[in-house]
Short mmCIF file of all heavy atoms in Angstrom, two decimals:
data_model
loop_
_atom_site.label_atom_id
_atom_site.label_comp_id
_atom_site.label_asym_id
_atom_site.label_seq_id
_atom_site.Cartn_x
_atom_site.Cartn_y
_atom_site.Cartn_z
N ALA A 1 92.39 90.72 141.24
CA ALA A 1 93.49 90.08 140.49
C ALA A 1 92.96 88.63 140.24
O ALA A 1 93.24 88.08 139.10
CB ALA A 1 94.62 89.97 141.37
N SER A 2 92.40 87.93 141.18
CA SER A 2 91.94 86.58 140.95
C SER A 2 90.80 86.58 139.84
O SER A 2 90.78 85.79 139.04
CB SER A 2 91.27 86.15 142.23
OG SER A 2 90.73 84.88 142.14
N ARG A 3 89.91 87.54 139.96
CA ARG A 3 88.76 87.58 138.93
C ARG A 3 89.37 87.96 137.58
O ARG A 3 88.74 87.42 136.47
CB ARG A 3 87.76 88.47 139.49
CG ARG A 3 86.90 87.91 140.62
CD ARG A 3 85.83 88.80 141.16
NE ARG A 3 85.07 88.15 142.38
CZ ARG A 3 84.19 88.65 142.96
NH1 ARG A 3 83.66 89.79 142.69
NH2 ARG A 3 83.66 88.00 143.99
N LEU A 4 90.19 88.81 137.43
CA LEU A 4 90.85 89.04 136.09
C LEU A 4 91.64 87.97 135.59
O LEU A 4 91.48 87.67 134.39
CB LEU A 4 91.80 90.43 136.21
CG LEU A 4 91.09 91.69 136.48
CD1 LEU A 4 92.22 92.85 136.46
CD2 LEU A 4 90.06 92.07 135.41
N SER A 5 92.20 87.20 136.45
CA SER A 5 92.93 85.98 135.96
C SER A 5 91.97 84.90 135.53
O SER A 5 92.26 84.22 134.44
CB SER A 5 93.85 85.51 137.13
OG SER A 5 94.84 86.37 137.45
N GLU A 6 90.91 84.82 136.02
CA GLU A 6 89.78 83.94 135.68
C GLU A 6 89.34 84.41 134.26
O GLU A 6 89.05 83.66 133.49
CB GLU A 6 88.70 83.78 136.63
CG GLU A 6 87.53 82.89 136.20
CD GLU A 6 87.85 81.47 135.89
OE1 GLU A 6 88.87 81.11 136.40
OE2 GLU A 6 87.36 80.94 134.94
N ALA A 7 89.19 85.69 134.06
CA ALA A 7 88.76 86.27 132.84
C ALA A 7 89.69 85.88 131.56
O ALA A 7 89.34 85.60 130.53
CB ALA A 7 88.48 87.82 133.01
N VAL A 8 90.97 85.95 132.19
CA VAL A 8 92.01 85.61 130.99
C VAL A 8 91.85 84.06 130.65
O VAL A 8 91.82 83.68 129.48
CB VAL A 8 93.44 85.80 131.58
CG1 VAL A 8 94.43 85.20 130.65
CG2 VAL A 8 93.66 87.24 131.89
N ARG A 9 91.68 83.15 131.73
CA ARG A 9 91.60 81.77 131.48
C ARG A 9 90.22 81.43 130.70
O ARG A 9 90.26 80.57 129.86
CB ARG A 9 91.46 81.12 132.79
CG ARG A 9 92.83 80.94 133.48
CD ARG A 9 92.83 79.87 134.60
NE ARG A 9 91.90 80.53 135.75
CZ ARG A 9 92.38 81.21 136.67
NH1 ARG A 9 93.58 81.60 136.72
NH2 ARG A 9 91.57 81.65 137.79
N SER A 10 89.17 82.12 130.97
CA SER A 10 87.82 81.92 130.23
C SER A 10 87.76 82.69 128.90
O SER A 10 86.68 82.79 128.31
CB SER A 10 86.77 82.23 131.21
OG SER A 10 86.81 83.50 131.56
N ARG A 11 88.76 83.39 128.54
CA ARG A 11 88.79 84.11 127.35
C ARG A 11 87.81 85.30 127.38
O ARG A 11 87.19 85.48 126.31
CB ARG A 11 88.70 83.36 126.12
CG ARG A 11 90.01 82.45 126.02
CD ARG A 11 89.96 81.76 124.49
NE ARG A 11 91.18 80.89 124.54
CZ ARG A 11 91.56 80.13 123.29
NH1 ARG A 11 90.71 79.95 122.49
NH2 ARG A 11 92.62 79.42 123.40
N LYS A 12 87.61 85.88 128.38
CA LYS A 12 86.69 86.98 128.57
C LYS A 12 87.48 88.35 128.65
O LYS A 12 87.04 89.44 129.01
CB LYS A 12 85.70 86.88 129.77
CG LYS A 12 84.73 85.81 129.58
CD LYS A 12 83.79 85.67 130.73
CE LYS A 12 82.86 84.50 130.54
NZ LYS A 12 82.04 84.22 131.82
N PHE A 13 88.78 88.20 128.54
CA PHE A 13 89.79 89.29 128.64
C PHE A 13 90.20 89.52 127.11
O PHE A 13 91.06 88.89 126.66
CB PHE A 13 90.92 88.89 129.49
CG PHE A 13 91.89 89.97 129.93
CD1 PHE A 13 91.87 90.40 131.28
CD2 PHE A 13 92.76 90.55 129.07
CE1 PHE A 13 92.79 91.42 131.59
CE2 PHE A 13 93.58 91.59 129.43
CZ PHE A 13 93.57 91.94 130.60
N ASP A 14 89.62 90.68 126.69
CA ASP A 14 89.98 90.91 125.24
C ASP A 14 91.15 91.81 125.03
O ASP A 14 91.15 92.99 125.73
CB ASP A 14 88.78 91.63 124.59
CG ASP A 14 87.55 90.61 124.62
OD1 ASP A 14 87.77 89.39 124.34
OD2 ASP A 14 86.33 91.14 124.76
N LYS A 15 92.03 91.55 124.11
CA LYS A 15 93.15 92.44 123.87
C LYS A 15 93.31 92.58 122.23
O LYS A 15 93.26 91.48 121.63
CB LYS A 15 94.49 91.71 124.31
CG LYS A 15 94.59 91.72 125.90
CD LYS A 15 95.75 91.06 126.42
CE LYS A 15 95.74 89.56 126.21
NZ LYS A 15 96.94 88.99 126.74
N SER A 16 93.44 93.83 121.75
CA SER A 16 93.66 93.87 120.46
C SER A 16 94.91 94.88 120.19
O SER A 16 95.08 95.87 120.99
CB SER A 16 92.49 94.71 119.80
OG SER A 16 92.66 94.77 118.34
N TYR A 17 95.80 94.61 119.26
CA TYR A 17 96.89 95.34 118.96
C TYR A 17 96.98 95.81 117.48
O TYR A 17 96.28 95.39 116.57
CB TYR A 17 98.11 94.44 119.18
CG TYR A 17 98.30 93.82 120.53
CD1 TYR A 17 97.57 92.68 120.89
CD2 TYR A 17 99.19 94.35 121.44
CE1 TYR A 17 97.64 92.21 122.14
CE2 TYR A 17 99.44 93.65 122.62
CZ TYR A 17 98.72 92.65 123.07
OH TYR A 17 98.80 92.21 124.35
N MET A 18 97.74 96.83 117.34
CA MET A 18 98.09 97.27 116.14
C MET A 18 99.53 97.10 115.91
O MET A 18 100.42 97.16 116.77
CB MET A 18 97.89 98.93 116.04
CG MET A 18 96.45 99.41 115.98
SD MET A 18 95.80 98.88 114.34
CE MET A 18 94.26 100.03 114.36
N ALA A 19 99.91 96.64 114.69
CA ALA A 19 101.36 96.41 114.27
C ALA A 19 101.47 96.96 112.79
O ALA A 19 100.64 96.81 112.01
CB ALA A 19 101.58 94.98 114.41
N VAL A 20 102.89 97.44 112.60
CA VAL A 20 103.18 97.60 111.20
C VAL A 20 104.25 96.57 111.02
O VAL A 20 105.25 96.33 111.61
CB VAL A 20 103.96 99.03 111.09
CG1 VAL A 20 104.34 99.30 109.73
CG2 VAL A 20 102.87 100.12 111.51
N VAL A 21 104.03 95.84 109.81
CA VAL A 21 104.87 94.63 109.46
C VAL A 21 105.46 94.92 108.07
O VAL A 21 105.00 95.68 107.37
CB VAL A 21 104.00 93.42 109.34
CG1 VAL A 21 103.28 93.15 110.77
CG2 VAL A 21 102.97 93.44 108.16
N ARG A 22 106.55 94.30 107.89
CA ARG A 22 107.22 94.36 106.76
C ARG A 22 106.66 93.54 105.55
O ARG A 22 106.22 92.41 105.81
CB ARG A 22 108.74 93.92 106.90
CG ARG A 22 109.58 94.75 107.89
CD ARG A 22 110.11 95.97 107.27
NE ARG A 22 111.06 96.70 108.06
CZ ARG A 22 111.56 97.87 107.67
NH1 ARG A 22 111.27 98.39 106.68
NH2 ARG A 22 112.35 98.48 108.64
N GLY A 23 106.44 94.20 104.42
CA GLY A 23 105.68 93.36 103.38
C GLY A 23 104.23 93.42 103.56
O GLY A 23 103.71 94.22 104.21
N ILE A 24 103.58 92.51 102.68
CA ILE A 24 102.07 92.41 102.74
C ILE A 24 101.75 90.97 102.98
O ILE A 24 102.01 90.11 102.13
CB ILE A 24 101.49 92.95 101.33
CG1 ILE A 24 101.95 94.43 101.20
CG2 ILE A 24 100.01 92.80 101.37
CD1 ILE A 24 101.55 95.01 99.82
N PRO A 25 100.99 90.57 104.09
CA PRO A 25 100.59 89.30 104.25
C PRO A 25 99.80 88.84 103.16
O PRO A 25 99.10 89.42 102.29
CB PRO A 25 99.56 89.35 105.55
CG PRO A 25 100.20 90.64 106.26
CD PRO A 25 100.59 91.65 105.17
N GLY A 26 99.90 87.48 102.85
CA GLY A 26 99.28 86.78 101.57
C GLY A 26 97.85 86.91 101.70
O GLY A 26 97.28 87.05 100.60
N LYS A 27 97.18 86.93 102.83
CA LYS A 27 95.74 87.23 102.87
C LYS A 27 95.48 88.48 103.64
O LYS A 27 96.12 88.79 104.66
CB LYS A 27 95.06 85.94 103.66
CG LYS A 27 95.28 84.59 102.94
CD LYS A 27 94.54 83.46 103.69
CE LYS A 27 94.75 82.22 103.08
NZ LYS A 27 94.14 81.06 103.78
N GLN A 28 94.28 89.10 103.24
CA GLN A 28 93.98 90.15 103.96
C GLN A 28 93.50 90.15 105.36
O GLN A 28 93.51 91.00 106.13
CB GLN A 28 92.85 91.01 103.10
CG GLN A 28 93.31 91.64 101.79
CD GLN A 28 94.30 92.81 102.06
OE1 GLN A 28 95.52 92.77 101.97
NE2 GLN A 28 93.76 93.94 102.63
N SER A 29 92.91 88.96 105.70
CA SER A 29 92.55 88.57 106.98
C SER A 29 92.77 87.13 107.25
O SER A 29 92.65 86.32 106.25
CB SER A 29 91.16 89.09 107.29
OG SER A 29 90.18 88.41 106.47
N GLY A 30 92.90 86.70 108.43
CA GLY A 30 93.08 85.32 108.68
C GLY A 30 93.39 84.92 110.21
O GLY A 30 93.49 85.83 110.90
N ARG A 31 93.59 83.61 110.36
CA ARG A 31 93.97 83.16 111.62
C ARG A 31 95.37 82.44 111.66
O ARG A 31 95.57 81.65 110.60
CB ARG A 31 92.99 82.31 112.22
CG ARG A 31 93.32 81.48 113.50
CD ARG A 31 92.16 80.85 114.17
NE ARG A 31 91.27 81.83 114.76
CZ ARG A 31 90.14 81.47 115.34
NH1 ARG A 31 89.91 80.27 115.67
NH2 ARG A 31 89.30 82.45 115.81
N LEU A 32 96.31 82.87 112.44
CA LEU A 32 97.56 82.18 112.60
C LEU A 32 97.57 81.26 113.78
O LEU A 32 97.28 81.77 114.73
CB LEU A 32 98.67 83.15 112.72
CG LEU A 32 98.83 84.30 111.53
CD1 LEU A 32 99.99 85.04 111.75
CD2 LEU A 32 98.98 83.50 110.10
N THR A 33 97.89 80.04 113.47
CA THR A 33 97.97 78.91 114.46
C THR A 33 99.31 78.22 114.47
O THR A 33 99.68 77.76 113.46
CB THR A 33 96.76 77.93 114.40
OG1 THR A 33 95.52 78.66 114.47
CG2 THR A 33 96.97 76.85 115.58
N ASP A 34 100.03 78.39 115.44
CA ASP A 34 101.43 77.81 115.50
C ASP A 34 101.72 77.32 116.91
O ASP A 34 100.97 77.49 117.82
CB ASP A 34 102.40 78.78 115.22
CG ASP A 34 102.35 79.41 113.89
OD1 ASP A 34 102.68 78.70 112.80
OD2 ASP A 34 102.03 80.59 113.71
N PHE A 35 102.80 76.43 117.01
CA PHE A 35 103.21 75.95 118.26
C PHE A 35 104.55 76.51 118.57
O PHE A 35 105.53 76.60 117.81
CB PHE A 35 103.30 74.48 118.30
CG PHE A 35 101.89 73.78 118.39
CD1 PHE A 35 101.19 73.58 117.25
CD2 PHE A 35 101.38 73.45 119.69
CE1 PHE A 35 99.87 72.98 117.38
CE2 PHE A 35 100.11 72.83 119.75
CZ PHE A 35 99.44 72.67 118.55
N LEU A 36 104.69 77.15 119.63
CA LEU A 36 105.87 77.85 120.03
C LEU A 36 106.71 77.32 121.25
O LEU A 36 105.97 76.86 122.06
CB LEU A 36 105.48 79.37 120.33
CG LEU A 36 104.56 80.13 119.47
CD1 LEU A 36 104.36 81.70 120.04
CD2 LEU A 36 105.14 80.25 118.07
N LEU A 37 107.97 77.44 121.14
CA LEU A 37 108.78 76.99 122.10
C LEU A 37 109.75 78.04 122.61
O LEU A 37 110.44 78.65 121.74
CB LEU A 37 109.65 75.76 121.66
CG LEU A 37 110.55 75.04 122.67
CD1 LEU A 37 109.82 74.31 123.72
CD2 LEU A 37 111.48 74.07 122.01
#
């Protein structure tokens, strides 16, 4: 658990998702950066 948590912090823990979204995003690929509360 400790070593996996460290992998998360050091961004060595890779996660990829599939999603079906409404509409078509404006760009075929890109990066979304926001601040969330």
Side-chain angles (χ1 to χ4, degrees):
S2 175
R3 291 182 178 178
L4 289 184
S5 295
E6 177 55 33
V8 172
R9 287 190 292 270
S10 60
R11 295 191 176 179
K12 294 178 181 177
F13 192 108
D14 297 324
K15 294 179 286 184
S16 183
Y17 298 79
M18 288 288 196
V20 179
V21 303
R22 298 283 185 180
I24 302 174
K27 296 180 180 179
Q28 284 295 106
S29 64
R31 173 168 291 184
L32 301 182
T33 301
D34 296 291
F35 286 83
L36 307 183
L37 182 65

